[in-house]
């Protein structure tokens, strides 16, 4: 896990102590470090080099639960790697745009 954190350090914007992140809430009194990285072509290439799949992001091999936020702080992608679960939080327009790619199947779309 520390190797991945070291390899991603050039892209790191901040590290903060948290009690929850998308899909996970820790037990009372527990905290974890949330590492926030910039997203660009180089950081995405590094993520692809480090892990072969979305659900590889689980403690102890890699940091837990990769997620992506939009610039406004809202969640775009959340994962719970230990449960092989992921969710995209898409606007109606983003969902419509995704439908333009028939190779990507959307199994279930929940609307709030």
């Amino acid at each position: 896990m520390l190797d991945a954190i070291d390899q991603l350090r050039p892209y790191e914007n901040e590290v903060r102590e948290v009690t929850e992140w998308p899909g996970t809430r820790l037990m009372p009194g527990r905290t974890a470090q949330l590492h926030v990285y910039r997203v660009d072509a180089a950081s995405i290439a590094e993520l692809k080099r480090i892990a072969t799949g979305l659900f590889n992001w689980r403690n102890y091999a890699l940091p837990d639960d990769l997620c992506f936020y939009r610039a406004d702080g809202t969640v775009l992608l959340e994962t719970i790697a230990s449960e092989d679960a992921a969710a995209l939080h898409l606007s109606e327009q983003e969902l419509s745009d995704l439908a333009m790619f028939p190779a990507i199947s959307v199994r279930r779309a929940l609307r709030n």
Side-chain angles (χ1 to χ4, degrees):
M1 175 174 76
L2 294 176
D3 286 345
I5 290 172
D6 286 342
Q7 292 164 9
L8 292 168
R9 197 166 317 282
Y11 313 104
E12 192 171 81
N13 288 336
E14 71 175 295
V15 178
R16 59 181 182 248
E17 291 292 316
V18 297
T19 58
E20 63 183 90
W21 57 90
T24 301
R25 179 174 291 147
L26 299 176
M27 294 173 49
R30 303 289 305 247
T31 63
Q33 289 186 330
L34 177 70
H35 293 256
V36 179
Y37 303 96
R38 76 173 182 272
V39 176
D40 59 22
S43 63
I44 294 296
E46 189 65 21
L47 289 174
K48 288 169 53 176
R49 192 189 65 70
I50 291 170
T52 58
L54 190 58
F55 301 126
N56 292 128
W57 294 94
R58 63 180 78 194
N59 216 1
Y60 293 91
L62 293 171
D64 271 346
D65 302 340
L66 182 70
C67 63
F68 286 87
Y69 297 89
R70 293 180 182 84
D72 67 4
T74 59
V75 177
L76 175 62
L77 169 71
E78 74 177 74
T79 66
I80 307 168
S82 62
E83 297 177 19
D84 290 343
L88 285 168
H89 298 262
L90 303 176
S91 68
E92 288 296 325
Q93 184 60 53
E94 289 167 333
L95 186 58
S96 177
D97 292 345
L98 185 62
M100 294 172 45
F101 296 91
I104 300 172
S105 98
V106 177
R107 285 191 267 156
R108 182 175 53 184
L110 302 175
R111 289 173 171 62
N112 292 334

